[in-house]
Amino acid sequence: MKEKKPTAENNISLSGIFGLLYPIFSVLFAFLMVAAAFNTFELALDVALYNILFTVPVFGLALMITRRLHVSAIITGLVSFLLFYIDQYIFSIRLTHIRISDFNLISQAVRVAGRYHPTWNTEITRRLVIILALSAVLILMYRLGKVKYNNLTMFFFGFVIFAASLVTILSGVIPNRGKEGFDFNTDAEARGLLYSWYCQAKGSAMRAPEGYSKEEAERILARYTPENGSGEDLNILVIMNESLADYSLIGTPRFDDPLPYIHSLVEGGEAFEGKLVVGVFGGGTANTEYAFLTGHSLAFLPEGVTPYLQYVDRQTENLASELGELGYDKTAIHPYFSEEWNRSQVYQFFGFDRFISGIDFGTTIIGNGKSATAKVPE
């Protein structure tokens, strides 16, 4: 009995089936690479899917450009790994994951990146190896299957994926389950980095407080009239010292008074004191500056925002501009790099006449073992 040879019809059928399945394999492999990069296997199923969804536009855009399914999947995986690695690099420097507001600091990050060393560990290696292995399998499937698709068809397919995923993300149908407060790390690790960014973006939208109107604010202000001063010219110094601690506020210290001079001014009637509560702890100095200078409480702003980075993009009324109208000369001093928290631009919008940064002191500023030194310009 003779063995039946495979016919051309059978070959066409098998290749046709593989041609139909290959796009599914490509998308599936892309999702597996994303999941490996961000380790979404440890997240709840719905949250894991949300994180993967935010990378779908990358796949669609790559497909529109390359017209190759396997290339698009690999690009999606590598972009995901790059985001993961950058987040790990930032985490190694400041022990916090990247916030959505940090994207406003890209130019600053590039300037200061040279002061730090790249990070690498076994976890980074493991995720990269998984992505490269999946990429190799996908390339092998492409070579063995010898699949070919019309370029126009691939472009249209990529456009549909890109547009549909982008509309889904921007439409707001994805719920905001972020509970990010001071500890953003917990939120990012419980909900995934990409989904946490989405929750932050939705939560940072400015909304007027209930019952607020400009007319009502002006009506309230009209009740008050400025007090006439003594007519004397005064030097006004505002000092924000984060390391200053008055332990007498929590009881009688069991050691010598650490602030004898300040306490003597108050006891002698030369000064008065009070307790100040600020919405910042463990960093975020710029938010205390903003609240003090503008008088705007951060209680009315979305949680987790930094106004210096997101909202101060034009001339803004504040203490410095008000004093300027009274003829005062205004100088801002901060003993560190001027680019931090976008201060160099913000202080211009606030109306300061000059900004003296740490470099201008002519001293050395230390940053992770490296330093930058400059003299005051003559």
Side-chain angles (χ1 to χ4, degrees):
M1 186 174 181
K2 293 184 179 179
E3 184 179 351
K4 189 176 181 180
K5 295 182 180 180
T7 63
E9 183 178 347
N10 291 332
N11 289 334
I12 293 174
S13 177
L14 291 175
S15 63
I17 293 174
F18 187 79
L20 292 174
L21 293 177
Y22 187 70
I24 299 176
F25 286 138
S26 299
V27 174
L28 179 61
F29 273 54
F31 289 169
L32 288 174
M33 293 180 198
V34 174
F38 294 110
N39 200 23
T40 60
F41 304 105
E42 297 183 358
L43 305 178
L45 180 60
D46 57 342
V47 173
L49 292 176
Y50 292 151
N51 280 274
I52 292 175
L53 174 62
F54 294 122
T55 63
V56 175
V58 177
F59 180 86
L61 183 61
L63 187 56
M64 291 170 60
I65 296 173
T66 66
R67 323 287 172 80
R68 297 292 183 272
L69 287 163
H70 67 291
V71 175
S72 303
I74 294 171
I75 289 175
T76 305
L78 293 178
V79 168
S80 300
F81 175 79
L82 181 61
L83 286 176
F84 159 74
Y85 177 76
I86 293 174
D87 177 64
Q88 290 297 296
Y89 174 61
I90 297 300
F91 190 89
S92 70
I93 295 173
R94 66 182 192 187
L95 299 181
T96 60
H97 292 287
I98 300 174
R99 296 171 180 261
I100 190 68
S101 57
D102 290 332
F103 288 98
N104 296 313
L105 287 171
I106 290 178
S107 59
Q108 176 180 322
V110 171
R111 285 194 294 268
V112 303
R115 304 204 302 268
Y116 301 95
H117 301 291
T119 183
W120 199 270
N121 53 46
T122 54
E123 182 61 24
I124 295 174
T125 302
R126 183 181 71 85
R127 300 190 190 194
L128 179 59
V129 168
I130 293 174
I131 291 173
L132 293 179
L134 290 171
S135 300
V137 172
L138 200 56
I139 293 173
L140 183 63
M141 292 172 60
Y142 172 77
R143 295 264 178 110
L144 294 178
K146 298 179 180 179
V147 290
K148 292 184 179 180
Y149 300 98
N150 181 272
N151 285 339
L152 185 60
T153 301
M154 288 294 97
F155 177 85
F156 179 75
F157 184 39
F159 175 78
V160 171
I161 293 176
F162 176 78
S165 58
L166 205 59
V167 168
T168 302
I169 294 170
L170 298 179
S171 65
V173 297
I174 301 174
N176 180 1
R177 297 178 184 170
K179 298 179 181 178
E180 180 259 326
F182 172 71
D183 186 10
F184 174 67
N185 290 345
T186 300
D187 195 63
E189 291 167 6
R191 293 171 180 80
L193 188 64
L194 301 184
Y195 181 52
S196 295
W197 289 350
Y198 171 81
C199 293
Q200 279 191 325
K202 288 196 69 174
S204 65
M206 289 285 286
R207 298 179 180 86
E210 184 177 350
Y212 172 82
S213 70
K214 183 177 180 180
E215 293 74 18
E216 180 64 14
E218 291 176 346
R219 187 185 68 80
I220 294 174
L221 289 173
R223 300 176 188 171
Y224 305 92
T225 55
E227 293 185 5
N228 293 324
S230 62
E232 299 179 2
D233 291 331
L234 301 175
N235 291 322
I236 301 175
L237 300 179
V238 176
I239 302 174
M240 186 173 72
N241 187 347
E242 295 177 336
S243 61
L244 180 67
D246 187 354
Y247 293 101
S248 66
L249 295 176
I250 58 176
T252 303
R254 297 183 180 181
F255 43 80
D256 293 338
D257 187 353
L259 303 172
Y261 179 68
I262 292 179
H263 288 155
S264 69
L265 293 176
V266 176
E267 294 167 0
E270 299 178 63
F272 63 90
E273 66 176 353
K275 297 179 180 178
L276 174 66
V277 178
V278 298
V280 168
F281 175 74
T285 311
N287 281 357
T288 301
E289 287 185 28
Y290 174 83
F292 173 79
L293 289 172
T294 64
H296 299 320
S297 172
L298 268 70
F300 299 112
L301 298 179
E303 190 174 10
V305 302
T306 303
Y308 273 19
L309 304 177
Q310 293 152 291
Y311 305 130
V312 184
D313 55 3
R314 59 180 63 89
Q315 299 297 324
T316 303
E317 291 184 359
N318 68 98
L319 179 62
S321 62
E322 292 289 330
L323 291 174
E325 294 181 3
L326 298 176
Y328 277 84
D329 185 63
K330 300 93 58 189
T331 299
I333 302 175
H334 184 73
Y336 203 58
F337 294 102
S338 61
E339 299 89 354
E340 299 295 322
W341 297 117
N342 199 30
R343 283 189 177 95
S344 57
Q345 177 174 306
V346 169
Y347 287 163
Q348 291 183 35
F349 288 139
F350 278 180
F352 282 99
D353 298 303
R354 66 188 61 82
F355 175 26
I356 300 175
S357 68
I359 294 295
D360 298 320
F361 281 90
T363 56
T364 300
I365 297 178
I366 303 299
N368 197 34
K370 296 187 178 182
S371 62
T373 306
K375 296 181 179 180
V376 179
E378 297 180 358

